[in-house]
Amino acid sequence: MPLTFTLFTRDTKPPQTLSGQLLTLWTDVTNAGGAVGFVPPVTVDDIRPRAEAHLTAIAEGRTRLLAGFTPDGRLAATAFLALNDHALMRHWAWLYTVMVDPALQGRGYGADLLREAEDRARALGLEGLRLTCRGGEGLERFYASCGYKEIGRAPDALRVAPGDDRDEITMLLPLPRCD
């Protein structure tokens, strides 16, 4: 079953119902072990402040939400494109909080989401996407399989538990112009 992707911006605000679905997805992904900014166990209330900050950034025009939906309209995958306001960095964006519903993982939806993010970034005139991921999870191999290159590593930058520090890995996907 293919996903249908929608890019939400300041002009195409996410519907109120999407906020609840986003909170549920983010909670489910985290509690399934996903490296999306939290360490399990979490509740919707733990996620809410970060989700609201992202939704505020969308309303202010600084961020875009890419959402993938199942044919029955259920939120299945998300990624946030955070635009740069620095004059020297406006040609690329950060990709944050890349998530696929744990019940749907292993079906290629993560790769579909990244391809869609790449297409949307190109449509916005961007020339690159950067992201960070948590070391020790194998995420860098997944992103590399989608064309991202490791460009930096901050050793032990992320403390997921006492005595469990992980590298923060920065990856880049150049988006050459197809003129």
Side-chain angles (χ1 to χ4, degrees):
M1 99 182 126
L3 298 183
T4 302
F5 290 98
T6 302
L7 186 70
F8 293 101
T9 68
R10 175 192 333 208
D11 299 325
T12 56
K13 296 177 181 153
Q16 190 62 33
T17 56
L18 186 62
S19 176
Q21 290 185 65
L22 175 63
L23 287 168
T24 299
L25 176 64
W26 204 334
T27 302
D28 291 348
V29 168
T30 300
N31 287 332
V36 287
F38 296 91
V39 176
V42 296
T43 67
V44 167
D45 290 332
D46 296 323
I47 302 293
R48 189 180 317 280
R50 176 107 22 102
E52 287 176 354
H54 281 311
L55 294 173
T56 297
I58 292 167
E60 293 172 352
R62 298 179 286 117
T63 296
R64 310 289 189 263
L65 169 61
L66 180 59
F69 297 91
T70 61
D72 64 358
R74 186 170 56 98
L75 182 64
T78 64
F80 291 91
L81 288 165
L83 306 176
N84 286 300
D85 60 1
H86 190 288
L88 301 178
M89 297 181 199
R90 289 189 184 129
H91 60 288
W92 62 270
W94 284 103
L95 194 60
Y96 286 111
T97 319
V98 176
M99 299 186 286
V100 174
D101 184 322
L104 300 174
Q105 290 178 1
R107 300 179 190 186
Y109 293 143
D112 291 347
L113 177 62
L114 291 177
R115 277 191 297 278
E116 187 71 21
E118 179 180 341
D119 291 347
R120 300 299 178 120
R122 274 197 176 96
L124 291 169
L126 299 172
E127 298 173 26
L129 289 172
R130 287 172 63 177
L131 60 80
T132 62
C133 62
R134 185 184 303 168
E137 304 287 336
L139 296 169
E140 65 272 26
R141 288 189 299 277
F142 167 70
Y143 289 117
S145 75
C146 295
Y148 286 76
K149 306 286 185 228
E150 183 176 328
I151 60 169
R153 187 177 284 254
D156 299 330
L158 303 172
R159 180 157 293 155
V160 294
D164 187 2
D165 293 347
R166 308 283 180 90
D167 293 356
E168 181 180 60
I169 303 163
T170 303
M171 303 190 79
L172 170 70
L173 178 69
L175 301 173
R177 292 180 188 231
C178 299
D179 298 331

